[in-house]
């Protein structure tokens, strides 16, 4: 409502200027008042336009979010059933198929007010002699299609230290509230310090060079420009441990909202984490 008070202030300024204009006889003062009135009317039109757009945009987003919640509510119920299924450790293929369908439902919920090709992916953490890396547990349909069209990667494994969206979450594990552990970037091509192991062999050195920001803006090769990543966290011996990541990407800039999307994605990640943890503990994914 702050814009409303600004509008009232502008109206008061216009009325004051109009009163001064009507009581003024000097030619110079009249000219000054005309210019002042012109500026005031332009300001009024600008504030009115911005205020209307703000109200319209917020209401449109809210309606779309409420529609998308139907898919998310169904996903939540399904995750509850999976978490209480005693056979979840045995039937790994069925479990992964269920999680793939959940990725699809999350994508459908977000598509209500985002780009039509939202990508949703669940990773789990693995380790070799070079360090920790992530493997794909499941994807939604859009992510699978996007992945099949990708160029060769600079690395054959997605090491956590080579990916900014994963690496920055590790130090945050000690945060008091788990809802503070996330990575949200709506302007990836304009982020000079963003690193990704999926940059092609040809472009990776250019992106990290002196003029890397120019190459990123003009020749950005990743199929997404916005991303929201939250960790799949389990608690073992009173310590938090990352079991994997829930990654959501969009080809549009400024796609994800901290107010609308983040709480929902954190809630879903909290329900997906126990499933991935069970798979990791049983070594069925190795």
């Amino acid at each position: 409502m702050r814009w409303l008070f600004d509008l009232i202030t502008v109206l008061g300024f216009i009325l004051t200027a109009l009163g001064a204009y009507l009581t003024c006889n000097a030619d110079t003062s009249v000219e000054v008042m005309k210019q002042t009135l012109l500026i005031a009317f332009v300001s009024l039109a600008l504030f009115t336009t911005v205020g209307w757009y703000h109200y319209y945009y917020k209401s449109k987003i809210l309606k779309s979010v409420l529609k998308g919640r139907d898919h998310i509510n169904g996903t939540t119920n399904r995750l509850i059933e999976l978490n209480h299924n005693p056979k979840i450790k045995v039937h790994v293929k069925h479990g992964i198929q269920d999680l793939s369908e959940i990725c699809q439902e999350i994508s459908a919920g977000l598509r209500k007010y985002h780009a039509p090709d939202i990508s949703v992916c669940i990773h789990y953490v693995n380790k070799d002699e070079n360090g920790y890396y992530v493997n794909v547990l499941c994807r939604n349909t859009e992510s699978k299609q996007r992945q099949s069209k990708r160029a060769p990667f600079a690395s054959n494994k997605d090491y956590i230290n080579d990916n900014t969206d994963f690496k920055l979450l590790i130090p945050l594990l000690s945060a008091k509230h788990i809802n503070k552990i996330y990575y949200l970037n709506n302007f990836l091509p304009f982020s000079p310090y963003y690193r990704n192991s999926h940059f092609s062999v040809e472009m990776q050195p250019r992106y990290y060079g002196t003029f890397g920001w120019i190459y990123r803006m003009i020749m950005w090769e990743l199929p997404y420009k916005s991303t929201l990543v939250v960790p799949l966290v389990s608690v073992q011996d009173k310590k938090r441990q990352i079991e994997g990541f829930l990654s959501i990407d969009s080809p549009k800039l400024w796609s994800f909202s901290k107010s609308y999307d983040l709480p929902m994605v954190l809630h879903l990640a909290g329900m997906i984490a126990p499933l991935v943890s069970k798979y990791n503990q049983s070594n069925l994914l190795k």
Side-chain angles (χ1 to χ4, degrees), residues 39-234:
I39 295 174
F41 279 116
V42 171
S43 300
L44 176 62
L46 179 62
F47 274 110
T48 303
T49 303
V50 172
W52 176 84
Y53 178 77
H54 177 78
Y55 173 79
Y56 172 78
Y57 178 77
K58 288 289 186 181
S59 61
K60 182 180 179 181
I61 286 291
L62 182 57
K63 290 178 181 178
S64 299
V65 168
L66 293 176
K67 290 180 180 179
R69 286 298 185 269
D70 293 337
H71 289 272
I72 303 305
N73 289 337
T75 303
T76 301
N77 294 333
R78 190 167 183 180
L79 283 170
I80 293 174
E81 294 177 0
L82 286 175
N83 276 305
H84 288 84
N85 184 355
K87 298 181 179 180
I88 191 66
K89 287 186 178 181
V90 180
H91 301 291
V92 179
K93 291 184 178 180
H94 294 292
I96 293 177
Q97 178 62 33
D98 289 333
L99 286 176
S100 297
E101 294 174 1
I102 285 172
C103 288
Q104 194 66 29
E105 292 172 3
I106 295 173
S107 175
L110 292 174
R111 283 203 307 269
K112 293 295 182 180
Y113 56 103
H114 283 318
D117 49 352
I118 290 289
S119 173
V120 180
C121 182
I122 297 176
H123 300 88
Y124 67 95
V125 177
N126 216 328
K127 185 181 180 180
D128 63 10
E129 64 277 3
N130 296 319
Y132 289 96
Y133 62 96
V134 296
N135 284 118
V136 174
L137 180 62
C138 54
R139 302 176 182 272
N140 70 320
T141 303
E142 286 78 5
S143 180
K144 291 177 181 177
Q145 293 174 350
R146 181 186 298 176
Q147 192 70 16
S148 63
K149 301 177 181 178
R150 298 293 302 277
F153 302 156
S155 172
N156 59 352
K157 290 184 179 179
D158 294 325
Y159 286 98
I160 289 180
N161 286 334
D162 294 336
N163 292 270
T164 300
D165 43 3
F166 299 146
K167 182 180 179 180
L168 291 184
L169 296 180
I170 305 300
L172 298 179
L173 279 178
S174 59
K176 184 176 181 181
H177 301 289
I178 196 170
N179 60 358
K180 302 293 184 182
I181 310 175
Y182 65 90
Y183 180 82
L184 174 60
N185 191 330
N186 283 311
F187 300 96
L188 291 176
F190 305 96
S191 302
Y193 300 107
Y194 176 75
R195 290 180 173 267
N196 194 303
S197 56
H198 286 192
F199 289 147
S200 66
V201 177
E202 178 185 3
M203 293 305 301
Q204 192 168 30
R206 297 183 183 181
Y207 284 154
Y208 302 149
T210 305
F211 300 99
W213 60 277
I214 298 178
Y215 286 104
R216 287 170 181 264
M217 288 189 296
I218 299 176
M219 305 177 67
W220 185 253
E221 61 180 347
L222 294 182
Y224 53 89
K225 297 178 181 178
S226 300
T227 186
L228 172 58
V229 180
V230 297
L232 305 176
V233 180
S234 65

